[in-house]
């Protein structure tokens, strides 16, 4: 299992249940990376999508206490989630938010794909700082590039001791 998100300088990932930045290159990277794969999210992430509809061309799994809708696979706890994702190749499962889902699942992820934004976005939700986490190593960092007025870098962090799913 892997996670994917963009984060600002403070490891903020969102503001008022939305993204802080409009980053076309990052969105393209997200679409291309997750297309045809399995995405795992919480209810608020699903509701943040246009019309609260699941992402197209992906298997959408929503982790929440009650059933959401028939267009997604709903799991109610981590045990059910881990049983469900065993049906898929682990490198095709992506955690896509929100913050509480990232906090719960990043320790189980073998890799985390982070688009680092060289700006402060005024975030109200954050993920753990992987640069300070002893279990994660930065194994790839792209050259900085401009995306809609912001400088970004595509980074890959590898978990050296992921928890067992």
């Amino acid at each position: 299992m892997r996670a994917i998100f963009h984060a600002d300088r403070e490891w903020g990932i969102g503001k008022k249940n939305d993204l802080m930045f409009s980053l076309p290159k990052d969105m393209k990277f997200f679409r291309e990376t997750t297309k045809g794969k399995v995405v795992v999210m919480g209810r608020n992430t699903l509701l943040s999508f246009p019309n609260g509809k699941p992402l197209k061309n992906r298997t959408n799994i929503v982790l929440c206490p009650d059933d959401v809708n028939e267009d997604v696979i709903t799991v109610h706890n981590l045990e059910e989630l881990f049983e469900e994702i065993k049906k898929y190749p682990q490198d095709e499962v992506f955690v896509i938010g929100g913050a509480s889902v990232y906090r719960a699942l990043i320790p189980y992820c073998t890799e985390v794909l982070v688009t680092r934004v060289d700006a402060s976005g005024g975030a109200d939700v954050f993920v753990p700082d992987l640069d300070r986490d002893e279990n994660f190593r930065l194994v790839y960092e792209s050259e900085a590039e401009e995306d809609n007025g912001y400088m970004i870098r595509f980074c890959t962090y590898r978990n050296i001791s992921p928890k067992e799913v």
Side-chain angles (χ1 to χ4, degrees):
M1 178 167 49
R2 297 187 277 177
I4 186 170
F5 55 85
H6 77 239
D8 72 0
R9 289 182 190 134
E10 291 82 32
W11 291 87
I13 60 164
K15 184 175 174 179
K16 297 182 180 172
N17 202 37
D18 202 356
L19 300 174
M20 298 174 294
F21 309 102
S22 175
L23 303 169
K25 291 178 184 175
D26 177 54
M27 290 304 292
K28 180 181 180 190
F29 174 73
F30 176 88
R31 274 192 315 275
E32 291 175 353
T33 303
T34 62
K35 186 176 180 180
K37 307 288 194 298
V38 178
V39 291
V40 177
M41 71 198 86
R43 177 202 322 264
N44 286 341
T45 298
L46 175 66
L47 294 176
S48 74
F49 298 151
N51 300 316
K53 296 289 185 188
L55 296 177
K56 293 180 182 174
N57 304 312
R58 296 161 187 86
T59 300
N60 289 254
I61 300 175
V62 178
L63 173 62
C64 69
D66 43 79
D67 292 342
V68 181
N69 69 46
E70 66 280 351
D71 298 325
V72 301
I73 299 167
T74 303
V75 294
H76 304 98
N77 54 50
L78 291 182
E79 185 178 318
E80 285 182 25
L81 172 65
F82 294 154
E83 281 304 309
E84 181 63 32
I85 64 173
K86 286 178 184 175
K87 300 174 184 176
Y88 309 96
Q90 287 303 293
D91 65 340
E92 293 189 7
V93 176
F94 286 89
V95 178
I96 64 166
S100 62
V101 174
Y102 285 129
R103 281 193 294 277
L105 295 177
I106 282 177
Y108 297 90
C109 292
T110 56
E111 280 187 343
V112 180
L113 308 178
V114 184
T115 303
R116 295 301 313 269
V117 183
D118 189 18
S120 293
D124 57 17
V125 290
F126 299 84
V127 292
D129 179 341
L130 299 182
D131 290 323
R132 296 178 186 262
D133 188 316
E134 64 186 26
N135 289 327
F136 283 88
R137 302 290 182 268
L138 178 63
V139 296
Y140 171 77
E141 184 175 31
S142 73
E143 292 294 320
E145 59 183 277
E146 188 274 335
D147 192 0
N148 201 23
Y150 298 97
M151 295 306 291
I152 66 169
R153 292 179 187 266
F154 295 98
C155 301
T156 302
Y157 290 83
R158 184 155 298 129
N159 190 343
I160 60 171
S161 60
K163 290 184 176 181
E164 292 287 322
V165 172

